[in-house]
Amino acid sequence: MDAVELENISKIYPTRGGPLAALDGVTLRVAEGETVALVGPSGCGKSTLLRLIADLDAPSAGAVRVLGMPPGQARDRRAYGLVFQAPTLFAWRTAAQNVALPLTLAGSPAPEREARVASLLRLVGLESFGAAYPRQLSGGMQQRVALARALALDPPLLLLDEPFAALDELTREQLQADLPAALAVTGRPISVVLVTHSLPEAVFLADRVAVFSARPGRILRQIVVDLPRPRTAELRDSARFHGLVSAARRALRYKDEG
């Protein structure tokens, strides 16, 4: 069973100036354990597509299935974790309390909840910062907390909407390296859909890169990333890495004739 199935998806928004087509005829599948990155020009509908998967919006046409279920059912079952560009942490809750929130809402008993939070903070390298409030953490540390919270219920699917875009380059590259390692430690295949404007980030993290046209977003090309895992910093200097980034850049420059 695929983690995500998108069949001929279109999304049209009503505006004062008339209908605005954000997506047009998008078909995409994400396999179990696969990471797929969505890249394209600003406004091409990448984040809109992620919202459709997360049941935060509905398509105008086409079908969405998440883990074999309608998106609403997958959301009710907490079958996915979601991380936005901003960490969206509660300022009045400590790092540990932010991570614990999904577990609390799910009714997890206190001893199990505390053990799970400790494990997740250790997983993202913040075991010494559980009592810290968001204002006491750097941007990169806050995003690690957001990632730990998204993984709290051990979801089989992770949705990432430009999670590292607001970070400095060194912190961004470090988190890019840490993310696959953190997912691997869970011991189960986790599928990932990643929205990013960074082509190197897409190639470094993904098994496949879906390149979108300008609005209305259509998939111009899908690029298989045949790089070995685990991926290290040295990989960024390889000819194959640069070749894949260049291939994605050429696809972005392609003029979509519809």
Side-chain angles (χ1 to χ4, degrees):
M1 180 180 62
D2 289 327
V4 177
E5 301 172 71
L6 305 171
E7 191 68 38
N8 202 28
I9 297 296
S10 294
K11 180 62 181 179
I12 299 174
Y13 292 102
T15 71
R16 287 188 175 183
L20 176 67
L23 294 166
D24 180 27
V26 174
T27 294
L28 180 70
R29 282 171 170 74
V30 180
E32 181 184 41
E34 183 183 27
T35 295
V36 174
L38 313 181
V39 302
S42 294
C44 72
K46 304 183 299 295
S47 292
T48 296
L49 196 64
L50 205 73
R51 290 177 60 83
L52 300 182
I53 297 170
D55 194 43
L56 300 178
D57 206 342
S60 302
V64 181
R65 303 284 291 179
V66 180
L67 300 164
M69 299 174 279
Q73 186 177 349
R75 185 182 186 187
D76 290 343
R77 294 189 179 184
R78 302 181 177 93
Y80 60 83
L82 181 58
V83 180
F84 296 101
Q85 180 175 340
T88 61
L89 303 178
F90 291 107
W92 59 90
R93 298 177 72 98
T94 65
Q97 290 168 343
N98 269 285
V99 174
L101 185 58
L103 297 162
T104 302
L105 295 175
S108 175
E112 295 179 16
R113 185 169 67 242
E114 291 170 6
R116 177 65 175 159
V117 168
S119 174
L120 287 164
L121 289 174
R122 187 164 54 251
L123 182 68
V124 298
L126 292 176
E127 59 268 35
S128 300
F129 293 89
Y133 289 90
R135 65 179 181 276
Q136 299 170 316
L137 303 174
S138 69
M141 294 167 78
Q142 290 181 36
Q143 202 62 306
R144 289 172 188 266
V145 174
L147 175 61
R149 183 179 60 189
L151 294 172
L153 296 175
D154 198 20
L157 174 64
L158 191 60
L159 305 176
L160 306 177
D161 193 358
E162 298 189 65
F164 311 135
L167 306 177
D168 66 86
E169 192 67 18
L170 287 177
T171 302
R172 182 172 186 156
E173 288 190 0
Q174 184 60 56
L175 287 179
Q176 289 168 6
D178 289 346
L179 175 62
L183 298 184
V185 170
T186 63
R188 61 176 291 178
I190 297 180
S191 306
V192 179
V193 181
L194 166 70
V195 170
T196 179
H197 280 102
S198 169
L199 299 182
E201 178 171 274
V203 170
F204 188 81
L205 288 174
D207 300 301
R208 186 159 40 102
V209 178
V211 181
F212 279 69
S213 70
R215 188 175 62 236
R218 306 179 181 93
I219 295 180
L220 298 175
R221 184 180 174 190
Q222 297 190 49
I223 299 170
V224 175
V225 181
D226 54 352
L227 296 173
R229 293 188 183 274
R231 295 176 185 167
T232 63
E234 291 74 21
L235 185 67
R236 300 179 192 272
D237 298 322
S238 69
R240 182 56 182 157
F241 180 85
H242 287 289
L244 288 165
V245 172
S246 295
R249 186 172 293 112
R250 287 194 299 272
L252 276 173
R253 291 173 178 164
Y254 172 76
K255 181 175 176 55
D256 178 29
E257 302 295 344

